[in-house]
Amino acid sequence: MNWTLYNFEDTLVDCDTGKKYQIKSSEILSTGKFPVIDQGQRFIAGYSNDETKLFKPKQGTVIFGDHTRIFKFVDFPFVIGADGTKVFYPNTDLFDPKFFFYYCLFLDIPSKGYNRHYTLLREKMIPKPSIAEQQNISHILSLIQAAIQKQKQIINITRELKNSLMKKLFTKGINNEPLKETEIGIIPESWEVVKLGDVADVLSGGTPSRTQPTYWKNGTIPWVKTGEINYSQITYTEEKITELGYNNSSARLCKKGTLLMAMYGQGVTRGRVATLGIDATINQACAAIIP
């Protein structure tokens, strides 16, 4: 392959997106005229009605979350979420914007926690095939991405069906018996209401000091954050701590099979549950529930 390598910053052209197009998180609306794109997990963070904040990209634009390491591709007018949302114009003389975006997704950018990561991104190299080859590659990946979106839609519909069925089963049971009113709502007459603490141990963990590199560097003990609790079985954690970090913090080691609940977090994170598929430590925002 006769591909040329470019330093990341040499692949970009000027993109005037100063603070005039940014809004604070507190100003984001649940509904509105213009979508707000920020560095968060959700593609669209919310909406704004302030037309003076509307950024109209001249070409396909790549968004990078300086704190989150999340990439997004945007090709429509939007309002920029403040703090950590970086907007890039790839040089179209060198790169097809969609190819550039997909290659950014492929880059390995190590986590520095909630610190900024652009210093790591700017050190990366981007290969340049011919524009025709770039377009063919991005077309193939776009087809796969569309298939993934369809699968996600099916999963979401199935999840809604499951939630509806759970509501029926957990309030009416399956034996068609008389119901009674309790402090947690209507339940079958033969059911009892008990406190979680009476039938299970509820424990929390902790975070080793981020100022001590020896607590984190080359860590081998999985460490769960609330963002990784997502109605599934956890078999991998983004970060790991060392034995020294474990011994000098309140991080708690939980056994495989433990039920976890996210006790804090932005948006819909709080209240999510998952089970551990591995032995792992948890941070202070996670509750381990052991019947």
Side-chain angles (χ1 to χ4, degrees), residues 55-75:
F55 173 65
K56 300 176 181 178
K58 301 174 183 177
Q59 61 179 70
T61 305
V62 176
I63 307 294
F64 174 65
D66 206 359
H67 297 298
T68 61
R69 298 174 297 145
I70 290 172
F71 288 98
K72 299 177 182 179
F73 182 81
V74 186
D75 55 2

Side-chain angles (χ1 to χ4, degrees), residues 79-151:
V79 177
I80 302 171
D83 185 34
T85 307
K86 289 189 170 291
V87 182
F88 300 133
Y89 272 168
N91 185 340
T92 53
D93 290 336
L94 300 174
F95 292 98
D96 172 74
K98 210 64 178 291
F99 170 87
F100 184 86
F101 163 69
Y102 282 125
Y103 196 84
C104 286
L105 291 180
F106 179 68
L107 293 173
D108 180 21
I109 304 173
S111 173
K112 296 169 60 180
Y114 200 72
N115 295 307
R116 294 187 179 272
H117 293 82
Y118 182 65
T119 53
L120 300 179
L121 178 60
R122 66 190 298 182
E123 296 173 356
K124 298 297 182 180
M125 304 290 287
I126 308 291
K128 180 195 172 299
S130 69
I131 294 294
E133 189 169 3
Q134 291 181 41
Q135 291 172 341
N136 286 334
I137 290 172
S138 63
H139 176 69
I140 293 168
L141 293 175
S142 293
L143 291 176
I144 294 172
Q145 184 62 37
I148 291 172
Q149 290 301 117
K150 288 291 184 183
Q151 284 295 109

